[in-house]
Amino acid sequence: MRVEIWSDIACPWCYVGKARFEKALDAFPHRDGIEVVHRSFELDPGRAKGDIQPVLAMLTRKYGMSEAQAQAGEENLGTQAAAEGLAYRTRDRDHGNTFDMHRLLHFAKEQGRQDELIGLLYRANFAEERTVFGDDERLVELAVAAGLDADAARTVLADPKAYADDVRADEREAAELGANGVPFFVLDRKYGVSGAQPAEVFTQALTQAWGERPPLRLIQQGSTDAEVCGPDGCAVPQQ
């Protein structure tokens, strides 16, 4: 069964929601039968790559709140993150364009390293002092830490068209599915879960989606006793 997660590296609830989902997933009895795919969603798609500003300044301008209110929100997010075992810097973080990160995540998906990279990007953005915005070499370092080739990562970042169509396709699909915020989880293309829900909600969703998968229907054509291989070996036709 496939679980698709639409998210953005700049989204603190995506950071927290990923941890809560993984808590449920780790305890799920059919964990080995679940494929997780991360999809792209930009919270601030119109922001230029070089337009980087403090998070508090972004919050006060975008949502019309006071700096005190914005800081209180960051403190609350820090508490929520800590409850999930996540580090979170409540002060002096910055905000910027995440399009290149999403392009790099699509490259990482091809290499089978997507989950590793998104985890490192989240931690770098929310817990570490050095910025992830406007610094391609920082992204290359994180790509290498995720198991990707440095030169290949630089090539992707240097070409603004590389994987751009994949990012836009994800974003169009999110709109078609009715996702106007993230994180947004889609289970088996049948169920959607919006927001950083408690782990118990994800457990319930996984259980329900898994239980409602249609049983496999065998097509019986030709001989019903055609040769197969099993635990005891392979049947070999006798002359």
Side-chain angles (χ1 to χ4, degrees):
M1 184 174 80
R2 172 178 287 188
V3 177
E4 297 161 278
I5 307 174
W6 272 264
S7 60
D8 191 11
I9 301 303
C11 165
W13 287 118
C14 297
Y15 179 47
V16 173
K18 182 177 185 290
R20 291 175 177 173
F21 170 75
E22 288 176 348
K23 183 181 294 184
L25 187 62
D26 288 344
F28 189 58
H30 306 289
R31 170 66 183 90
D32 291 343
I34 304 297
E35 176 193 11
V36 178
V37 178
H38 297 281
R39 302 291 192 191
S40 300
F41 189 105
E42 293 174 276
L43 290 175
D44 203 352
R47 182 178 291 271
K49 181 174 180 177
D51 184 4
I52 304 167
Q53 66 178 148
V55 166
L56 290 188
M58 180 274 294
L59 291 172
T60 56
R61 186 179 70 176
K62 188 171 183 178
Y63 300 107
M65 60 177 67
S66 68
E67 186 170 322
Q69 289 172 321
Q71 185 59 54
E74 284 294 286
E75 298 292 342
N76 176 55
L77 280 163
T79 300
Q80 298 282 344
E84 305 304 328
L86 301 173
Y88 189 97
R89 295 177 68 233
T90 59
R91 296 179 183 275
D92 301 322
R93 288 193 304 107
D94 55 16
H95 177 79
N97 180 284
T98 58
F99 187 63
D100 284 349
M101 297 181 214
H102 286 295
R103 294 195 301 110
L104 201 57
L105 282 166
H106 275 279
F107 166 64
K109 179 175 179 287
E110 286 188 346
Q111 308 301 313
R113 310 301 295 177
Q114 189 185 46
D115 194 65
E116 290 82 359
L117 180 58
I118 198 169
L120 289 167
L121 287 169
Y122 276 137
R123 181 173 178 81
N125 184 40
F126 291 107
E128 297 176 3
E129 185 174 350
R130 185 178 170 188
T131 186
V132 294
F133 299 106
D135 184 353
D136 285 357
E137 280 306 304
R138 174 62 165 149
L139 298 184
V140 170
E141 289 175 11
L142 293 170
V144 170
L148 298 170
D149 178 76
D151 289 338
R154 285 191 187 94
T155 298
V156 170
L157 292 170
D159 179 4
K161 293 184 179 179
Y163 300 95
D165 289 344
D166 300 276
V167 176
R168 297 307 183 208
D170 277 357
E171 293 173 338
R172 286 194 300 272
E173 195 164 14
E176 291 167 1
L177 291 169
N180 52 18
V182 284
F184 189 73
F185 302 77
V186 176
L187 292 79
D188 209 26
R189 284 296 165 127
K190 291 178 63 178
Y191 297 100
V193 178
S194 180
Q197 300 286 350
E200 294 78 12
V201 173
F202 290 120
T203 297
Q204 180 182 358
L206 286 165
T207 301
Q208 184 171 347
W210 184 271
E212 293 185 9
R213 291 176 308 137
L216 183 67
R217 297 179 63 184
L218 292 175
I219 298 176
Q220 295 290 0
Q221 292 182 349
S223 173
T224 59
D225 58 352
E227 294 80 4
V228 298
C229 291
D232 296 325
C234 301
V236 179
Q238 301 298 313
Q239 296 293 335

